[in-house]
Amino acid sequence: WLLSFGARRDDGSPTADLGQTPWPGTRRAWQWFAKGQFEGFSAQWMGVSHTVDTTYDATDSDRLNDTSQFVSLGHDAEPAPGWRTSLRWQAGEHRYDYRYLRTGEGGYLDDTRTRGAWWALDAQATWSGHEDHDLVMGLRLRRDPRLRYRYDVFDGSQVLSSMSREQASVSVEDRWRLRESLALTLGVRLDQRSVAG
């Protein structure tokens, strides 16, 4: 088992435009990671959250927040002599927000938000019954149920976009051991995507 956490704060954001002079404001970031394994089962969770608050004369408020996280559950087994199987379920999400506000006369507001979420299932079976060959068969399913973009413009208009997509894949490959330090892999993979065929 492993647990890890990190925190960071910067007073100012260095920029290429300003050289060594930091852009005024505060940056904060948090990172986390956890994983565990018990017999053939495994679990993993990781993520990062990043926030930037900028203070300068052009705006009263300027904030960016960016967060991503990911979880994975897996199982590896040897169900029969010469056979190995691997099963992985994974899911993740991403959130991005940027708010740019100026009040008073000629005030304006820009507000951008994106949201994304996905999950995937990977299954793989490997047969090593032949001395010089590993035959690997794979199946992958993935779905992105939420892909959203929203932009509130300072003139009162709004831009919205939302979609979802799915993908399925099957593959077969032969790992051929030519010598101890050299291998050749031949394979074929078929993908079916909801947005591209």
Side-chain angles (χ1 to χ4, degrees), residues 28-104:
R28 296 175 297 277
W30 299 267
Q31 301 174 17
W32 59 91
F33 177 64
K35 73 174 183 176
Q37 187 169 340
F38 176 73
E39 296 182 349
F41 295 92
S42 61
Q44 186 172 292
W45 178 41
M46 62 191 302
V48 60
S49 182
H50 178 221
T51 301
V52 178
D53 288 301
T54 304
T55 54
Y56 55 100
D57 293 339
T59 65
D60 296 320
S61 175
D62 187 355
R63 165 173 273 210
L64 179 150
N65 182 262
D66 195 18
T67 301
S68 295
Q69 60 179 331
F70 162 86
V71 64
S72 173
L73 303 175
H75 183 257
D76 297 286
E78 297 182 5
W83 283 94
R84 298 190 310 275
T85 60
S86 174
L87 185 65
R88 293 281 181 278
W89 177 83
Q90 303 169 336
E93 70 164 357
H94 181 79
R95 301 168 64 92
Y96 173 88
D97 296 283
Y98 178 67
R99 188 174 179 88
Y100 188 76
L101 176 65
R102 174 76 184 266
T103 58

Side-chain angles (χ1 to χ4, degrees), residues 2 10 24 38 41-42 50-52 67 78 80 101 113 125 140 143-144 178-179 183 189 193 196:
L2 172 67
D10 298 310
F38 176 73
F41 295 92
S42 61
H50 178 221
T51 301
V52 178
T67 301
E78 297 182 5
L101 176 65
R113 304 177 189 181
R140 176 178 171 85
R143 176 167 167 75
D144 298 75
L178 303 177
R179 62 176 77 170
R189 172 172 167 158
R193 299 182 178 94

Side-chain angles (χ1 to χ4, degrees), residues 13-197:
S13 303
T15 67
D17 295 337
L18 298 178
Q20 298 300 316
T21 304
W23 198 261
T26 304
R27 302 169 64 213
R28 296 175 297 277
W30 299 267
Q31 301 174 17
W32 59 91
F33 177 64
K35 73 174 183 176
Q37 187 169 340
F38 176 73
E39 296 182 349
F41 295 92
S42 61
Q44 186 172 292
W45 178 41
M46 62 191 302
V48 60
S49 182
H50 178 221
T51 301
V52 178
D53 288 301
T54 304
T55 54
Y56 55 100
D57 293 339
T59 65
D60 296 320
S61 175
D62 187 355
R63 165 173 273 210
L64 179 150
N65 182 262
D66 195 18
T67 301
S68 295
Q69 60 179 331
F70 162 86
V71 64
S72 173
L73 303 175
H75 183 257
D76 297 286
E78 297 182 5
W83 283 94
R84 298 190 310 275
T85 60
S86 174
L87 185 65
R88 293 281 181 278
W89 177 83
Q90 303 169 336
E93 70 164 357
H94 181 79
R95 301 168 64 92
Y96 173 88
D97 296 283
Y98 178 67
R99 188 174 179 88
Y100 188 76
L101 176 65
R102 174 76 184 266
T103 58
E105 185 178 352
Y108 52 83
L109 168 67
D110 282 352
D111 193 353
T112 304
R113 304 177 189 181
T114 63
R115 301 288 184 267
W118 61 273
W119 63 263
L121 182 66
D122 282 287
Q124 195 173 83
T126 303
W127 181 68
S128 305
H130 192 279
E131 181 179 356
D132 296 322
H133 293 268
D134 289 336
L135 185 65
V136 184
M137 295 156 285
L139 171 67
R140 176 178 171 85
L141 303 173
R142 176 178 170 130
R143 176 167 167 75
D144 298 75
R146 185 174 73 242
L147 295 167
R148 296 178 186 160
Y149 172 82
R150 172 179 167 177
Y151 177 43
D152 295 323
V153 193
F154 67 90
D155 61 5
S157 62
Q158 190 178 76
V159 179
L160 296 173
S161 176
S162 180
M163 65 174 291
S164 64
R165 61 188 175 195
E166 297 82 32
Q167 176 180 339
S169 308
V170 292
S171 62
V172 179
E173 60 185 66
D174 182 11
R175 298 175 184 166
W176 185 16
R177 290 182 293 275
L178 303 177
R179 62 176 77 170
E180 187 169 333
S181 60
L182 182 63
L184 175 68
T185 299
L186 302 173
V188 61
R189 172 172 167 158
L190 174 66
D191 291 292
Q192 177 67 37
R193 299 182 178 94
S194 62
V195 295

